[in-house]
Amino acid sequence: MANDVAVRIDELRRQLEYHNWRYYVLDDPVITDSEYDRMLRELQSLETAHPEYYSPDSPTQRVGGAVRSEFGTVVHRVPLFSLANAFSTDELLNFDRRVRELSGQSQVEYVVELKLDGLAVSLTYEQGRFSQGATRGDGTTGEDITANLRTVRPLPLVLREEARTVPPLIEVRGEVFMPKDAFLQLNTRREEAGEALFANPRNAAAGSLRQLNTKVTASRALDIFVYGLGAAEEVTISSHWELLRALKDWGFKVNPHIKLVQGIDAAVEYCLTWQEQRQELPYPIDGLVIKVNDLSLQRALGATAKSPRWAIAYKFPAEQAETTLKEIVVTVGRTGVLTPTAIFDPPVQLAGTTVSRAVLHNEDIIRVRDIRVGDVVKVEKAGDIIPEVIGPVPEQRTGREQLFVMPKSCPACGAQVVKLPGEVAFRCPNVSCPARLRESLLHFGSRGAMDIDGLGPAIIDQLMERELVRDVADLYFLQAEDIASLTRMGAKSAANLIASIEASKNRGLDRLLVALGIRYVGVTAAKALAFHFFDMERLMAATREELLAVPGIGDKIATSVQDFMVEERNQATIRRLKEAGINMTVTKSPVNGGGKLTDKTFVLTGKLTGFTRAQARSAIEEKGGKVTSSVSGSTDYVVAGESPGSKLQRAEALGIQVLTEREFEQLLAME
Ligand code: IVH
């Protein structure tokens, strides 16, 4: 029996690793997501039941979970060099001349690769298994981020041996990065949750990888391409091109835009082509890398103190433009934070878009960069996405430029602004501040929140001006006549808006929690809370311990939820929302709910602590599943609470997946 389990665990691990490779590395899956999930859950429950078969390179370990207080250090077996930079074609020609002189060759064969803009990592595989991962650090010593790297889906935990034997030890180098769309989505979620934004995809990748809680890393869409080898035993490879091929055979993700060229001219041409096309890539690059292909020539050329003589980075000229900073406007966000934004006149063309403004973040940045109103400034796109003011062009100063000072009072309501200890941001402390209300209303009606179609800024401004809304609950007491009387609103559009306000009443507790704009409560935390407590009243009554018991809810969120719930004004808003008939329980939502458990059959046994039977049943049914009373071959899951009965034994005998209450909650919370 035990042996059968071991065999099955081994088989599932191999299959899952194979399908992971097909999906993330080849981008060519051969099974459906739900088949994959089913196998993963089977493996999870076998591993839970048989902890003696724990393995760090099991696919179940990719979800993270380890939390540490600090990172250990790793001394690299072979130091990680950095690259010398070239900023012009001339510098590339000089590099080639040196290589030709030292090698005595008249034409050198090069490999040209994209230079990915992320974080360099070193990955050690012993006997084909991922055993250690580290940051570059200072090149000699890095940080041990093994547990975080395990959560990066395209990174193989076990190497493939089909096409090529795997050496006993290899240390592979690559770049972990965040694709552009994942970066934008992450920042949107952070904005919703009132968290600081990442300046560019590189910072987001580095911040995600260096998380002490690996669950956070697992939740970020990180990707990796590998491009080199450090220490290695028993590897007989004679060119870089062949090495890239071998890395691919072993299951690593190698960038498809690698090119083998004869001579520097072709290499330069390839660099210039990408300089034009870089915007089309779904991930950020900041240049290209040219490497000597022949490994024996690489060895002969050697390295200087910092970088190898056989490679050079061609760095793109930053996409930069100059314009006049006409004005710095200060806006007040939902949480009261004052944000200065530079307004340009004229707007400038940068990396394919017209840029008329750039967020300056806070007063410190403006002071450190010495940016003044009226300055001619250099504007750049950070990580190719977000416009940023780099600094002034001092030669262009006339003496009439004005220093910027953060207003002492809120530009919207006049309240005296405050700076909280340890924060760089200034805040308007007035909870009734019209600017805060405006942003709160916009957020409340936004897509991921209550999704009120037609509730745009123009309407909100008018509703506020006429004092028709003083808080979000007022939206639900608006009459069609009130709306029809607004500028550019006829009876028909008023009726439409009333209808979308009405429709929003049924978004369910998770969306309502997002909409309320509780600090740090974004989509993920809101779902976790909603599917744990099931209705607003229970959430409002939750103790700190109860909040902390919810998977994914830590100190920061628990404190924020409690601070929000004790506030008299917030309680009043929730009461009025309830009066207006807003659904404050978990429900199926047209956008992201429902369907996940379609046709899945559940059997409940034992006592659940977080749900009544009726609540568990309705949560399953809302997601398209059904609950039956007896376990049979067609049962998909048995949820086992405290002191489960014979149904559990029967499930085990039939090999049906058994979920603990916690696993059941996680299943419900899944997108
Ligand atoms: S090769 C000795 N190849 O650029 C060779 N590096 O400025 C070392 N990078 O630390 C690196 N894409 O983080 C190489 N295709 C690529 C790269 C690449 C990005 C990064 C890497 C390295 C930095 C050097």
Side-chain angles (χ1 to χ4, degrees):
M1 169 73 183
N3 210 6
D4 288 352
V5 171
V7 170
R8 180 70 184 144
I9 286 181
D10 191 53
E11 181 179 44
L12 283 167
R13 284 179 184 163
R14 270 188 289 124
Q15 285 176 357
L16 284 161
E17 188 69 8
Y18 170 77
H19 291 298
N20 194 69
W21 172 69
R22 301 263 349 175
Y23 187 95
Y24 288 103
V25 180
L26 300 189
D27 200 11
D28 182 22
V30 284
I31 59 169
T32 63
D33 291 2
S34 65
E35 281 171 299
Y36 185 92
D37 290 346
R38 179 188 282 273
M39 280 159 67
L40 187 65
R41 280 200 289 268
E42 184 187 344
L43 179 59
Q44 259 158 355
S45 74
L46 286 174
E47 288 182 356
T48 313
H50 299 274
E52 66 275 22
Y53 297 129
Y54 164 82
S55 160
D57 38 51
S58 168
T60 55
Q61 299 303 305
R62 290 194 186 270
V63 294
V67 180
R68 275 145 309 147
S69 56
E70 59 179 4
F71 295 107
T73 51
V74 173
V75 177
H76 299 301
R77 287 183 172 85
V78 175
L80 274 79
F81 279 115
S82 78
L83 290 168
N85 290 324
F87 297 93
S88 65
T89 308
D90 271 356
E91 288 176 83
L92 292 179
L93 298 178
N94 284 341
F95 159 77
D96 174 63
R97 187 168 320 116
R98 282 193 303 274
V99 172
R100 280 187 292 114
E101 276 167 15
L102 290 167
S103 67
Q105 295 183 1
S106 60
Q107 192 184 53
V108 181
E109 188 172 59
Y110 293 112
V111 176
V112 193
E113 299 170 6
L114 300 184
K115 186 169 187 301
L116 305 147
D117 200 5
L119 189 79
V121 292
S122 145
L123 314 165
T124 304
Y125 289 79
E126 288 169 88
Q127 313 303 336
R129 286 167 191 277
F130 178 53
S131 60
Q132 188 168 65
T135 61
R136 175 174 183 275
D138 63 5
T140 313
T141 311
E143 281 176 323
D144 185 341
I145 50 165
T146 314
N148 304 75
L149 281 165
R150 275 206 180 98
T151 71
V152 176
R153 307 291 155 128
L155 180 145
L157 298 176
V158 179
L159 299 184
R160 307 183 50 74
E161 200 141 18
E162 267 87 282
R164 192 184 292 260
T165 36
V166 169
L169 177 113
I170 48 167
E171 187 226 319
V172 175
R173 274 101 193 254
E175 195 88 352
V176 171
F177 60 92
M178 190 175 283
K180 291 178 188 171
D181 58 351
F183 162 71
L184 293 172
Q185 280 165 23
L186 174 63
N187 262 357
T188 307
R189 283 206 304 275
R190 290 176 73 86
E191 192 161 24
E192 275 173 16
E195 293 170 326
L197 302 188
F198 286 112
N200 53 50
R202 177 169 21 92
N203 290 5
S208 301
L209 209 45
R210 294 187 65 264
Q211 282 285 335
L212 292 166
N213 181 349
T214 54
K215 271 233 154 62
V216 179
T217 313
S219 74
R220 307 271 170 87
L222 293 172
D223 204 340
I224 185 170
F225 283 122
V226 303
Y227 48 66
L229 193 62
E233 280 170 12
E234 297 172 31
V235 174
T236 48
I237 283 177
S238 61
S239 73
H240 185 66
W241 190 252
E242 192 192 339
L243 169 66
L244 294 175
R245 175 77 233 177
L247 290 169
K248 221 169 138 185
D249 289 344
W250 290 324
F252 291 101
K253 209 168 153 178
V254 173
N255 190 279
H257 304 295
I258 46 175
K259 194 172 170 84
L260 183 67
V261 298
Q262 309 301 325
I264 195 70
D265 291 344
V268 170
E269 195 188 316
Y270 195 59
C271 290
L272 297 179
T273 311
W274 276 109
Q275 189 159 310
E276 296 306 313
Q277 290 177 3
R278 60 196 284 212
Q279 300 305 334
E280 290 159 28
L281 288 168
Y283 42 82
I285 60 169
D286 60 345
L288 285 97
V289 186
I290 301 178
K291 300 174 179 174
V292 166
N293 187 33
D294 182 347
L295 295 188
S296 57
L297 179 51
Q298 281 191 6
R299 275 188 291 275
L301 290 164
T304 68
K306 278 196 295 216
S307 48
R309 291 197 191 84
W310 46 264
I312 192 155
Y314 172 68
K315 296 284 274 270
F316 293 137
E319 288 254 19
Q320 236 185 33
E322 288 182 11
T323 182
T324 306
L325 190 164
K326 191 171 135 253
E327 191 188 352
I328 295 179
V329 295
V330 177
T331 53
V332 185
R334 187 160 53 81
T335 56
V337 171
L338 269 60
T339 307
T341 300
I343 310 292
F344 307 130
D345 189 17
V348 286
Q349 283 300 315
L350 260 187
T353 58
T354 308
V355 177
S356 59
R357 48 172 55 218
V359 175
L360 293 166
H361 304 291
N362 56 55
E363 199 184 26
D364 291 1
I365 290 184
I366 301 175
R367 204 179 22 250
V368 170
R369 298 190 188 167
D370 189 24
I371 298 165
R372 304 180 193 178
V373 177
D375 262 335
V376 172
V377 287
K378 286 200 171 84
V379 184
E380 211 175 276
K381 272 205 169 172
D384 267 355
I385 300 190
I386 297 176
E388 195 178 348
V389 178
I390 301 303
V393 184
E395 312 86 77
Q396 302 246 30
R397 283 210 166 135
T398 61
R400 272 174 286 154
E401 294 76 15
Q402 304 268 308
L403 284 176
F404 170 78
V405 266
M406 204 64 158
K408 299 276 170 294
S409 53
C410 169
C413 73
Q416 198 167 14
V417 303
V418 293
K419 194 170 182 170
L420 300 181
E423 283 194 5
V424 280
F426 286 87
R427 282 174 198 276
C428 165
N430 174 12
V431 282
S432 323
C433 169
R436 292 182 62 173
L437 174 59
R438 182 177 189 269
E439 295 303 313
S440 305
L441 287 164
L442 272 172
H443 172 76
F444 189 84
S446 65
R447 282 249 320 269
M450 299 304 260
D451 195 11
I452 306 179
D453 204 22
L455 187 69
I459 303 288
I460 287 177
D461 287 345
Q462 292 193 62
L463 290 173
M464 283 178 57
E465 243 164 58
R466 300 192 187 193
E467 301 194 354
L468 289 167
V469 287
R470 291 196 187 84
D471 84 345
V472 294
D474 287 337
L475 290 171
Y476 293 97
F477 295 93
L478 287 171
Q479 304 296 317
E481 307 87 75
D482 296 335
I483 301 177
S485 71
L486 305 179
T487 317
R488 279 200 291 278
M489 267 301 215
K492 183 146 194 308
S493 16
N496 286 345
L497 182 54
I498 291 281
S500 31
I501 292 175
E502 189 60 32
S504 76
K505 289 183 176 173
N506 245 344
R507 301 283 180 242
L509 182 59
D510 55 331
R511 301 272 292 273
L512 177 62
L513 291 175
V514 172
L516 287 173
I518 306 168
R519 222 168 157 210
Y520 307 124
V521 179
V523 178
T524 314
K527 271 200 164 56
L529 291 167
F531 285 103
H532 186 91
F533 291 104
F534 281 94
D535 63 53
M536 185 64 106
E537 258 161 52
R538 290 191 53 207
L539 172 61
M540 289 174 84
T543 63
R544 192 178 164 72
E545 287 62 41
E546 285 167 342
L547 287 168
L548 288 170
V550 182
I553 303 298
D555 257 340
K556 208 165 72 172
I557 299 179
T559 309
S560 170
V561 170
Q562 288 214 303
D563 288 352
F564 184 91
M565 294 302 179
V566 298
E567 182 82 45
E568 196 84 34
R569 287 176 59 97
N570 296 333
Q571 288 178 5
T573 303
I574 293 171
R575 242 188 339 264
R576 292 192 57 231
L577 286 168
K578 191 156 191 149
E579 263 169 48
I582 310 300
N583 183 337
M584 300 212 171
T585 58
V586 171
T587 170
K588 188 161 75 178
S589 95
V591 175
N592 57 8
K596 185 70 201 178
L597 302 181
T598 306
D599 299 333
K600 297 275 186 267
T601 304
F602 286 74
V603 172
L604 306 171
T605 176
K607 184 175 161 17
L608 301 175
T609 52
F611 309 75
T612 62
R613 275 289 167 95
Q615 284 170 335
R617 172 187 286 272
S618 72
I620 292 166
E621 288 171 354
E622 292 293 0
K623 295 214 145 201
K626 57 180 187 287
V627 179
T628 60
S629 54
S630 61
V631 179
S632 72
S634 58
T635 306
D636 293 287
Y637 300 101
V638 170
V639 181
E642 279 167 23
S643 18
S646 60
K647 289 177 190 171
L648 177 61
Q649 285 157 13
R650 184 157 164 74
E652 281 170 348
L654 289 174
I656 287 160
Q657 182 162 12
V658 178
L659 302 176
T660 61
E661 182 169 349
R662 189 168 264 244
E663 287 167 339
F664 174 54
E665 268 174 21
Q666 284 168 349
L667 182 65
L668 290 175
M670 266 173 10
E671 283 284 349

